[in-house]
Amino acid sequence: MAMCGAASRRGAEEIISAGRVTVNGEKICEQGVKVEIGADTVKLDGKVIKPSGKMFYIMLNKPVGYVTTVKDQFERPTVIDLVGPEINERIFPVGRLDYETEGLLLLTNDGDFTYKVTHPKHNIEKTYIAVLKGGITIKGLAQLRSGVKLDDGFMTSPAKVEMLDAENGHTTIKITIHEGKNRQVRRMFEAVGSKVKELQRVSIGTVELGNLPLGRWRHLTSHEINYLKNL
Ligand code: URA
């Protein structure tokens, strides 16, 4: 399923367990069933899926107000809606950005790539620009740099933190983290008594958003693809 771009490896396991996959007309719920490409017919939700051969690796500058899923249960706009008809394959997001977060999001139909880039063992650095409502204390900055305890008890690893600007009741901070816990950056600032007003992801490892306009996407360069595949 990962080769077909139908899901990431982890996503495929859930889809199979949910009974959404048939092989030659028979529903399968157990993992690891072998199929022969070309000979067996695999369907997901009643639609035939097969390896396309063509892999897409793109980056999107996600605006606020889009969900990072292929289909939203509340019918809200999704990041896939922003990718035009030029990508005629099922692609899906690599990791997540919150509804209210903007910036760099990778999308692909290569499930192995997704698995690799999102696997915690690679510890890939993600850099965000956070605009805080109000300020932050010196102690708060120091705590973020050494690691903070989130509301669920998770201890974050040391973050790189740089104050970029402070004016008119707002403070702009550049923060680089390694993990990818749910709403992690917002929760890290909450843990030190600050509130994030705006959040933008500007890089994943050495892959940078640069000046890609909001709501637009581009293909990754071969250099960027190779870098991410060889983490
Ligand atoms: N941290 C957050 O709080 N939100 C995101 O979307 C990504 C990281």
Side-chain angles (χ1 to χ4, degrees):
M1 283 176 63
M3 283 168 71
C4 300
S8 67
R9 277 196 216 179
R10 269 177 288 180
E13 285 176 11
E14 280 170 27
I15 288 172
I16 291 169
S17 303
R20 294 169 56 194
V21 177
T22 60
V23 176
N24 301 327
E26 214 170 289
K27 192 199 277 190
I28 53 145
C29 294
E30 72 275 24
Q31 309 296 328
V33 171
K34 299 250 179 303
V35 293
E36 201 176 318
I37 293 167
D40 294 314
T41 304
V42 182
K43 288 188 183 174
L44 165 61
D45 296 334
K47 284 201 196 111
V48 174
I49 54 168
K50 44 186 166 193
S52 65
K54 177 132 178 67
M55 292 301 180
F56 291 99
Y57 305 92
I58 70 173
M59 75 155 71
L60 169 74
N61 187 352
K62 176 198 171 301
V64 170
Y66 285 80
V67 276
T68 312
T69 45
V70 175
K71 177 127 185 61
D72 182 47
Q73 54 174 327
F74 304 114
E75 304 286 324
R76 290 173 298 182
T78 80
V79 290
I80 305 295
D81 298 336
L82 294 167
V83 181
E86 190 189 322
I87 307 291
N88 51 4
E89 293 283 333
R90 257 176 90 124
I91 54 166
F92 49 93
V94 180
R96 308 189 38 201
L97 281 180
D98 298 334
Y99 187 71
E100 323 88 80
T101 301
E102 64 179 46
L104 173 55
L105 182 72
L106 302 175
L107 298 114
T108 185
N109 58 341
D110 181 345
D112 285 335
F113 178 89
T114 301
Y115 181 76
K116 182 119 209 215
V117 174
T118 54
H119 200 289
K121 83 170 177 211
H122 295 303
N123 251 340
I124 189 161
E125 287 191 334
K126 283 150 287 197
T127 300
Y128 299 83
I129 306 290
V131 179
L132 309 181
K133 189 165 186 287
I136 183 164
T137 60
I138 301 280
K139 187 170 166 216
L141 288 173
Q143 283 174 323
L144 292 171
R145 290 189 178 117
S146 58
V148 289
K149 201 186 237 189
L150 301 183
D151 44 9
D152 58 0
F154 177 80
M155 195 68 198
T156 62
S157 59
K160 286 185 204 151
V161 184
E162 195 186 330
M163 168 118 54
L164 299 182
D165 197 18
E167 58 170 355
N168 301 331
H170 296 125
T171 310
T172 308
I173 306 258
K174 183 173 173 184
I175 179 164
T176 302
I177 61 168
H178 301 274
E179 308 101 332
K181 298 283 168 207
N182 192 24
R183 300 177 71 82
Q184 181 166 336
V185 174
R186 291 173 199 275
R187 290 161 65 210
M188 285 172 74
F189 281 103
E190 269 162 32
V192 299
S194 294
K195 176 128 185 69
V196 172
K197 193 170 150 276
E198 289 164 28
L199 188 62
Q200 179 196 31
R201 180 156 67 195
V202 291
S203 62
I204 298 178
T206 60
V207 177
E208 292 184 356
L209 182 63
N211 54 10
L212 184 66
L214 198 60
R216 303 294 290 270
W217 65 272
R218 70 162 172 85
H219 292 280
L220 293 189
T221 63
S222 50
H223 182 77
E224 288 168 331
I225 297 167
N226 287 336
Y227 158 72
L228 291 165
K229 280 188 173 176
N230 291 301
L231 283 172

